[in-house]
């Protein structure tokens, strides 16, 4: 990809997934981590609509744009960071599986992806 931030985001996502697969006992947190893909799905639909010739003024395009913006801001900007902070920092003793060495790359990748998300939110 020509955008280095997009490439970094995708590499961080791959590192996160591989680290989760290599870690034991963290399967329960995967649905929360995968919720970050909801805005990506909306964005992909927007890209397909644009390729098919949908105008930005079309109602369906505007609804999908609203779904993308809302899900991006809600999930990546608020809900998921707050949930992970609560689980990894505040309830650390209750979830020792989140502190195993194999899960560290996933946490670092999440940190990279959140910083990119906040950068993108500031542009939107």
């Amino acid at each position: 990809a020509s955008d280095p931030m997009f490439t970094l985001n995708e590499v961080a996502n791959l590192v996160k997934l591989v680290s989760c697969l290599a870690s034991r006992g963290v399967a329960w947190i995967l649905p929360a981590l995968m919720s970050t893909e909801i805005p990506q799905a909306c964005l992909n639909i927007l890209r397909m609509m644009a390729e098919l010739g949908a105008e930005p003024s079309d109602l369906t395009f505007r609804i999908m744009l609203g779904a993308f913006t809302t899900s991006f801001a809600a999930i990546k900007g608020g809900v998921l960071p707050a949930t992970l902070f609560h689980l990894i920092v505040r309830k650390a003793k209750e979830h020792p599986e989140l502190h195993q060495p194999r899960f560290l790359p996933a946490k670092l990748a999440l940190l990279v992806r959140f910083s990119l998300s906040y950068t993108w939110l500031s542009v939107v």
Side-chain angles (χ1 to χ4, degrees):
S2 61
D3 182 6
M5 287 178 58
F6 177 79
T7 304
L8 179 60
N9 182 57
E10 293 306 313
V11 168
N13 192 36
L14 178 65
V15 168
K16 175 188 77 172
L17 294 175
V18 169
S19 176
C20 286
L21 290 173
S23 302
R24 293 184 181 268
V26 297
W28 61 270
I29 200 169
L30 288 181
L33 296 179
M34 293 307 293
S35 69
T36 61
E37 301 309 313
I38 294 170
Q40 188 64 41
C42 293
L43 183 60
N44 289 341
I45 291 170
L46 278 171
R47 288 179 180 153
M48 285 189 297
M49 290 174 72
E51 285 295 320
L52 294 172
E55 296 292 325
S57 60
D58 291 348
L59 180 61
T60 53
F61 193 91
R62 290 172 49 181
I63 289 172
M64 191 52 60
L65 182 60
F68 164 71
T69 306
T70 303
S71 63
F72 186 90
I75 292 171
K76 290 187 174 189
V79 175
L80 192 58
T83 301
L84 291 177
F85 177 78
H86 179 71
L87 290 173
I88 293 174
V89 177
R90 299 198 65 196
K91 300 276 186 169
K93 291 182 182 177
E94 294 177 23
H95 301 289
E97 66 275 15
L98 297 180
H99 302 287
Q100 59 187 296
R102 287 185 175 175
F103 196 66
L104 180 62
K107 292 192 281 188
L108 295 174
L110 280 168
L111 184 62
V112 167
R113 292 190 81 204
F114 285 144
S115 357
L116 289 172
S117 293
Y118 283 115
T119 302
W120 288 329
L121 274 175
S122 68
V123 173
V124 175

